[in-house]
Amino acid sequence: MKLITGVILLFTSAAFQILGPPPGDAPKQDLPDFVRLKYQNKDLLTDLGGGLWAWPLPMDYDQDGDMDMILSCPDTPFNGLYFFENKSGKEVPVFEPPVRIAAGLKNPQISYVDGKPRILDQGAEFEDFIKEHANRKTLLYPPDSLQNDFKKKPRFTEWKFVDYDHDGDQDLIAGSDDWLEYGWDNGYDANGKWINGPIHGYVYLIENQSGKYINKGRIKAGGKILDVYGAPSPNFADFDGDGDLDLICGEFVDKFTWFENTGTAGKPEYADGKILVNETGVIKMDLEMIIPVAVDWNKDGHVDLIVGDEDGRVAYIKNTGKNKNGMPVFNAPFYFQQKAGNVKSGALATPFSADWDDDGDEDIITGNSAGYITFIENKGGGSYPDWAAPKFLKANGKTIRIQAGPNGSIQGPCETKWGYTTLSVADWDGDGLKDIIFNSIWGKVQWFRNKGTKKSPVLAEAQMVLVDWERDAPRPKWNWWNPQPNELAPQWRTTPYAIDWNKDGLTDLIMLDHEGYLAFFERFRKDKTLYLKPGKRIFYNEDGSELLQLNKKQNGGSGRRKFTLADWDSDGDLDLLIDSKNVDFYENISTDADKIKFKNQGNLSGRKLAGHDTSPTTVDWDKNGIPDLLIGAEDGHFYYLKR
C-alpha cells in the first residue's frame, strides 16, 4: 500500500491567487498547506463574517467620515483584528471584505470619550489604537485584583471607560462572569431539570479618585447586586434621552437587560433590570455569546447597539429615540452584510460534499454550531468553483434549526441556542434521491427524507434512524434521557457517515457508538422496513491489539469527532480522515474484512485549524479521480487541500 501524500500533495500558484493566502500558524516545510476557500463572484453579498467569535469595535478607522467595523477574533484559525471598510457612507452599508491588520485581542471593548474611540482590554488601554493597534498599551488597573471575589477565574472580563459619577474624569467599569455554581457536567436530574446554579454576570465600578483608581465593588440595581446571566458586556449611555447614564447589559445567551438610572447624573441609582423588548417581543440575537457595544452608529443623537454574535456576524440594533413604558425602544437586530470574500457558514462548520441539485458538480451541504443545515451551491468554474451565497435548507417548509433548548446539551442550559449539526448525504431509503442523515448536540441520529426530485430536493420532517436493538437502546451513561426503543443515541456532535460499507445495495452507517468506539451499523430489511443492526466494533489500531476508540472522555468532553472515509492513498480500500489540529490520515492496512486495521500517518499539514475540532470531507472539483480535501473549521470557514 503506497503512501503518496508526500508525492502529490502540491499547490499551484493559481490556488493561492484564487483562494487567498494561508491562515494561522506557518506550516512545516515538508508538508503541504491548506488555503481558505473564497468566493469568485465579487458582486455577491453575504453576511458580514468574522471568525469565532465577533468582538466589534465600531469606529471611523480610515478617518473618512463614516463608521467602519473593526472585529477582534481571538480564536483559531481566524485570529486577528480585521478591518471591514465602509465605502458607501450609508447608515446600513455593505462592507468590504475583511483585511487583517493585527493579531486578535482577548476581550477588547471600545469606549467613546469626547467623541473619540478608546480601546481597553485586560485593565489596559491601547494607545493610539488606529495607528498602533495593540503595540503600545498602558496598564490602568491590575486585572487579576478582581479575581479575589471569585473562587474560579472568570472566563471573560470586559473593561470600559465611563464618567460614572459625572465629575469630569473617566472611571473604569469591568464586567466579569462567575461559573462556579454552574459546574458544566452532571447538572441534570432524572427528569432533565438543571439542578446546578446559573452563570452570574457582575459589573464593577473602579472609581477615578484624583488619578488613582479605587475598586468600589459590584454595582447594585434595585437595591441588590446587579447580576445577569453570564458575561455582562456593560454599556453606560443616556439611552432614554433624560440626561443621565443608564445601563444595558448583554449576557452569555441572546438577550439584553435594561437598567434605568432612577437617580441623577452625579449619583446614579439603578432600578431592577428589565429585558429589552419592542413591539415584536423580546429582542434577541440569532445565536449566543453576544458582545453588545453602545455607539451612536447613525449620528442621530440616539445611542444604538452594535452586537457581535458567536458565529462572527455583527448586528445593528437601532435606537428609535422613542420610549415606551419607561424603556427605550430599539429595532430588532439587523445583521450587516459585506461584499463576498471568504466562503463561510456560521461556526464549527461541518461540510459534506455532494451534488445536491444533480447538475454535475459537487456542492457543499454543511451543519454548524447554530444548528442550521446549509446549502452552498457550486455554480461552476471547474477546479476552483464559483460559490453561491449560503442558503438555509428547509424541512416541511420551515428552516431547519436543531437546538439544545433548556436540557438538550450535556453542558447545560447556557447552550440552549446551539445545535452542532454534523451530517452526511446519501440515499437513505433507497428511492434514488439524496437524503440527509445528521447528528447534533442532542446525540440523536435522525434523517431528512427527500420527497422532491433529484434536481429539486424537498425535505420532509426529521425522523429517527431506526435500529433493531437486541435489548434496550444503549446511551452514553451521562445522558439524563433514555432513547426510544429503536433510536440511535451515540455520542454527541459526531459524524454519522452513511455508506454502503458491505456493498449489498443498502446504505449502512459508520460512526462512534455510545462509548466512543468506531462502529459498523449494518442495514437490513425487516417486515419491509429498513433497520440498522446494533453497531459492530470491527475497527482496530494498526497491530490489531486495540479497538479504535476515538474518544475515551466522558460528559462534555465526549464525542466531538468528525471524519470521512475515502481511498486517500489510491490503493483500492477506504481510509479514514479524522479531525485533529487539521486532519489525521488513518491508512487502511487491513487484510481481514471483519477486522479493519488503520495506521495513523499523522497530520496532512503543519497548519493548525482546530479550536475544538475540524470537520473533513473529500472533494474532486477538478474531476481527475484523485480526492482532494475540504475542511470546515471552528471559525466557520472552509479550508482546501488540493493534490
Side-chain angles (χ1 to χ4, degrees):
M1 299 180 185
K2 187 178 180 183
L3 179 64
I4 60 173
T5 53
V7 178
I8 62 173
L9 288 173
L10 301 174
F11 282 107
T12 65
S13 60
F16 284 100
Q17 291 169 4
I18 295 174
L19 296 174
D25 302 329
K28 297 177 183 177
Q29 294 300 310
D30 59 343
L31 290 174
D33 193 20
F34 291 89
V35 289
R36 190 179 294 126
L37 205 62
K38 287 186 173 291
Y39 291 102
Q40 292 195 53
N41 181 358
K42 302 304 180 183
D43 295 326
L44 191 68
L45 301 184
T46 63
D47 286 337
L48 184 147
L52 180 94
W53 72 98
W55 289 76
L57 305 171
M59 66 179 76
D60 183 5
Y61 180 76
D62 54 9
Q63 305 290 285
D64 66 351
D66 55 31
M67 294 293 279
D68 308 302
M69 191 67 67
I70 303 295
L71 285 190
S72 179
C73 299
D75 290 322
T76 303
F78 201 70
N79 181 285
L81 280 172
Y82 290 90
F83 168 44
F84 294 79
E85 185 180 0
N86 176 359
K87 284 189 173 180
S88 71
K90 295 180 180 178
E91 177 183 355
V92 184
V94 173
F95 289 96
E96 298 297 308
V99 175
R100 190 177 190 272
I101 57 176
L105 302 173
K106 186 179 180 182
N107 301 149
Q109 295 278 279
I110 188 169
S111 308
Y112 276 85
V113 179
D114 298 327
K116 298 186 180 299
R118 296 172 68 174
I119 311 299
L120 279 68
D121 195 1
Q122 307 307 301
E125 180 178 10
F126 297 107
E127 304 291 345
D128 197 5
F129 180 83
I130 288 178
K131 291 183 179 179
E132 297 286 340
H133 304 131
N135 292 324
R136 289 196 298 122
K137 67 179 181 181
T138 300
L139 183 65
L140 303 174
Y141 192 81
D144 291 345
S145 64
L146 295 183
Q147 295 174 16
N148 296 332
D149 288 352
F150 300 88
K151 293 182 180 179
K152 186 176 182 179
K153 185 178 180 180
R155 296 184 72 191
F156 311 112
T157 302
E158 304 153 303
W159 297 80
K160 285 188 174 178
F161 280 128
V162 63
D163 185 1
Y164 182 83
D165 48 11
H166 201 61
D167 64 354
D169 56 27
Q170 293 301 311
D171 308 299
L172 289 174
I173 295 295
S176 283
D177 55 0
D178 185 348
W179 290 71
L180 183 65
E181 291 181 34
Y182 188 81
W184 284 100
D185 291 325
N186 299 315
Y188 295 107
D189 66 15
N191 297 312
K193 181 181 178 182
W194 185 253
I195 56 176
N196 286 356
I199 314 168
H200 298 282
Y202 304 115
V203 180
Y204 286 81
L205 168 64
I206 298 137
E207 187 179 353
N208 186 341
Q209 295 183 0
S210 302
K212 184 177 181 180
Y213 288 106
I214 307 297
N215 184 359
K216 307 297 284 189
R218 294 171 178 173
I219 289 174
K220 292 184 177 182
K224 57 186 181 295
I225 297 295
L226 182 154
D227 187 3
V228 298
Y229 194 75
S233 303
N235 290 276
F236 287 88
D238 183 10
F239 292 104
D240 57 5
D242 65 355
D244 55 32
L245 297 182
D246 311 296
L247 172 61
I248 291 178
C249 286
E251 61 172 30
F252 188 81
V253 187
D254 60 356
K255 299 184 291 298
F256 308 89
T257 305
W258 152 257
F259 298 92
E260 183 183 4
N261 185 351
T262 56
T264 65
K267 292 185 177 181
E269 291 185 13
Y270 291 96
D272 280 325
K274 297 179 181 178
I275 300 299
L276 276 186
V277 298
N278 60 20
E279 68 280 359
T280 64
V282 174
I283 297 174
K284 295 182 179 181
M285 293 289 283
D286 189 51
L287 201 43
E288 52 180 281
M289 292 179 75
I290 64 173
I291 308 296
V293 173
V295 63
D296 184 2
W297 174 261
N298 58 355
K299 300 179 182 178
D300 66 352
H302 307 300
V303 181
D304 312 298
L305 295 173
I306 302 298
V307 191
D309 225 332
E310 186 250 5
D311 60 3
R313 292 182 295 162
V314 180
Y316 173 32
I317 301 181
K318 181 179 179 178
N319 186 342
T320 66
K322 300 175 182 178
N323 296 315
K324 185 175 182 180
N325 299 325
M327 181 186 292
V329 178
F330 289 84
N331 288 343
F334 171 84
Y335 282 87
F336 285 119
Q337 292 202 308
Q338 66 167 76
K339 295 179 181 177
N342 304 310
V343 182
K344 179 174 166 61
S345 180
L348 277 166
T350 56
F352 192 93
S353 180
D355 185 1
W356 184 245
D357 52 8
D358 200 46
D359 64 353
D361 52 33
E362 297 175 62
D363 310 301
I364 297 171
I365 304 293
T366 182
N368 61 24
S369 69
Y372 293 111
I373 295 179
T374 303
F375 169 42
I376 306 176
E377 184 183 358
N378 182 340
K379 304 288 286 186
S383 298
Y384 306 105
D386 176 15
W387 299 102
K391 181 180 179 181
F392 293 147
L393 289 181
K394 296 182 177 182
N396 248 20
K398 296 180 180 179
T399 297
I400 295 170
R401 189 171 187 188
I402 310 301
Q403 292 180 288
N407 56 16
S409 171
I410 298 166
Q411 297 184 153
C414 79
E415 301 197 347
T416 183
K417 297 198 80 166
W418 281 323
Y420 295 119
T421 38
T422 179
L423 55 89
S424 59
V425 176
D427 180 6
W428 189 246
D429 55 0
D431 66 353
L433 302 177
K434 295 182 180 73
D435 310 300
I436 294 176
I437 303 91
F438 71 95
N439 192 8
S440 70
I441 196 167
W442 279 90
K444 297 181 178 184
V445 183
Q446 299 173 279
W447 68 293
F448 292 106
R449 182 176 67 87
N450 181 359
K451 60 181 183 179
T453 65
K454 287 185 177 181
K455 291 189 175 295
S456 299
V458 177
L459 299 177
E461 277 189 25
Q463 55 187 300
M464 289 193 309
V465 163
L466 299 177
V467 185
D468 186 25
W469 296 110
E470 298 166 353
R471 52 186 66 87
D472 291 342
R475 63 172 176 83
K477 61 183 179 181
W478 46 86
N479 280 12
W480 66 265
W481 52 274
N482 291 311
Q484 298 178 43
N486 296 115
E487 190 168 15
L488 179 54
Q491 293 192 354
W492 70 333
R493 301 165 60 174
T494 52
T495 305
Y497 196 89
I499 183 174
D500 183 3
W501 176 261
N502 57 2
K503 301 187 186 304
D504 65 352
L506 300 178
T507 305
D508 311 302
L509 199 64
I510 309 292
M511 72 176 308
L512 270 66
D513 64 18
H514 63 289
E515 293 180 329
Y517 291 95
L518 191 65
F520 165 44
F521 295 83
E522 183 181 359
R523 205 76 174 285
F524 74 106
R525 290 189 185 275
K526 178 181 177 182
D527 300 328
K528 298 183 180 181
T529 300
L530 286 168
Y531 289 90
L532 294 171
K533 294 180 181 179
K536 293 171 64 176
R537 297 172 180 175
I538 64 172
F539 303 106
Y540 289 80
N541 66 352
E542 62 181 287
D543 64 9
S545 62
E546 294 182 4
L547 286 163
L548 208 58
Q549 188 178 20
L550 296 184
N551 197 338
K552 299 179 182 180
K553 295 179 181 178
Q554 299 188 4
N555 300 305
S558 65
R560 302 173 183 264
R561 299 311 304 267
K562 314 295 194 301
F563 69 91
T564 193
L565 288 160
D567 185 4
W568 189 250
D569 54 9
S570 301
D571 66 353
D573 54 27
L574 291 176
D575 308 299
L576 273 171
L577 300 172
I578 305 178
D579 63 303
S580 63
K581 80 172 188 180
N582 47 78
V583 167
D584 281 352
F585 167 44
Y586 278 61
E587 182 187 2
N588 187 337
I589 59 170
S590 57
T591 56
D592 184 347
D594 294 322
K595 193 171 185 177
I596 311 299
K597 294 187 288 187
F598 292 101
K599 181 178 181 179
N600 187 359
Q601 300 285 8
N603 297 145
L604 289 180
S605 169
R607 184 76 60 185
K608 183 178 180 182
L609 296 179
H612 286 79
D613 56 51
T614 58
S615 187
T617 188
T618 54
V619 300
D620 188 16
W621 296 331
D622 55 10
K623 300 183 180 180
N624 66 356
I626 299 172
D628 305 311
L629 188 62
L630 185 70
I631 290 180
E634 190 151 8
D635 60 8
H637 296 110
F638 301 95
Y639 295 86
Y640 178 49
L641 186 72
K642 179 175 171 55
R643 301 199 288 172

